[in-house]
Amino acid sequence: MNEIITSIFLVMGALFTLVAAIGVYRLPDILMKMHASTKAGTLGAGLILVALMITFDDIGVVTRALATIIFLVLTAPIAAHLIGRAAYVSGVKFWKGTIIDEMQDLYVKKANDKKRGGGL
Amino acid sequence: MVILELIWFQNLITGVYIALCLSLLLAFIRLLKGPTLPDRVVALDLIAYIVICFIATYTIATGKEAFLDAAIVLALIAFLGTTAFARYVQQVGHTKKPDESL
């Protein structure tokens, strides 16, 4: 019974990771890529670590795996938010289907700033 | 452990390895192609997650629990790296030719 649950979690984690990679490869826009990478990547790693927790009965291993999961869940949204905000502020062009830009007036995009000389 | 001696479980581990290899390949192609710098940073972040998955799967496959520490350290390094790259992107701005600005 134990190995069946482990297998289900392993396969689900691998599939989620694969979906994340396909999303990062195929999606047109930095924000969409970030979305695919963070959500599916965290879930994939989390599910595989849950499979690891089920496989080992040792309390030390379970605690370490749980700590890794908690750390991933805490830090992945922060990292995604930071990189998405940095991309927006630095003026990356978005997909042509993106029609709503709610942060338009909040930041001065650096790409529109003619005085900036580009590069360092 | 008993679970590691099952033949179908070894085949399943092999399948998981193949799926993770495919994901690593796709993320690496995006890292090489990625038109802007943030694309590359996202791909690098995903590569770190995939390697964490690899380490966890290898820990299950071999039964040696010491590899799990590497996964913890890698999660920490990935977060720090992404944060540093985000600061860098915000200050320097994205560029289509990273060779000129780096």
Side-chain angles (χ1 to χ4, degrees):
Chain A
M1 194 58 207
N2 222 352
E3 63 267 15
I4 293 174
I5 302 174
T6 306
S7 314
I8 290 170
F9 275 110
L10 261 180
V11 171
M12 277 172 63
L15 286 182
F16 267 112
T17 315
L18 190 59
V19 166
I22 292 172
V24 168
Y25 181 67
R26 288 286 298 168
L27 289 176
D29 193 338
I30 169 68
L31 295 182
M32 297 186 200
K33 279 173 193 159
M34 184 194 78
H35 159 89
S37 155
T38 307
K39 290 200 177 72
T42 313
L43 198 55
L47 284 174
I48 290 185
L49 284 166
V50 167
L52 194 144
M53 281 165 64
I54 296 170
T55 313
F56 287 87
D57 291 334
D58 190 10
I59 184 82
V61 180
V62 171
T63 316
R64 271 183 281 171
L66 198 63
T68 315
I69 292 174
I70 291 173
F71 186 79
L72 277 179
V73 170
L74 279 179
T75 58
I78 301 173
H81 175 84
L82 278 175
I83 192 66
R85 185 171 169 276
Y88 185 87
V89 170
S90 73
V92 171
K93 274 193 177 175
F94 292 137
W95 184 44
K96 60 181 183 341
T98 306
I99 52 172
I100 297 179
D101 188 0
E102 288 180 333
M103 299 209 301
Q104 216 164 18
D105 305 325
L106 296 179
Y107 293 104
V108 178
K109 287 193 179 184
K110 284 181 182 169
N112 299 333
D113 195 352
K114 299 293 184 203
K115 280 176 283 188
R116 266 184 76 85
L120 284 169
Chain B
M1 282 184 293
V2 185
I3 184 171
L4 302 177
E5 293 161 6
L6 299 169
I7 298 295
W8 64 268
F9 191 74
Q10 291 173 359
N11 292 334
L12 187 129
I13 291 275
T14 310
V16 170
Y17 278 151
I18 290 170
L20 288 178
C21 278
L22 209 59
S23 339
L24 200 58
L25 187 71
L26 288 173
F28 197 74
I29 291 172
R30 180 48 68 195
L31 178 68
L32 288 179
K33 277 169 66 176
T36 63
L37 187 57
D39 287 333
R40 294 174 210 266
V41 179
V42 168
L44 209 58
D45 206 25
L46 183 66
I47 285 175
Y49 291 142
I50 294 170
V51 175
I52 291 172
C53 292
F54 255 116
I55 293 172
T57 314
Y58 191 71
T59 312
I60 294 175
T62 57
K64 292 174 183 163
E65 61 197 53
F67 293 120
L68 192 54
D69 298 333
I72 300 175
V73 174
L74 198 61
L76 187 66
I77 298 276
F79 173 61
L80 287 179
T82 311
T83 314
F85 267 123
R87 294 282 301 173
Y88 175 75
V89 169
Q90 199 166 348
Q91 286 184 356
V92 175
H94 79 288
T95 169
K96 291 201 171 177
K97 295 171 188 164
D99 296 333
E100 290 179 5
S101 69
L102 281 174

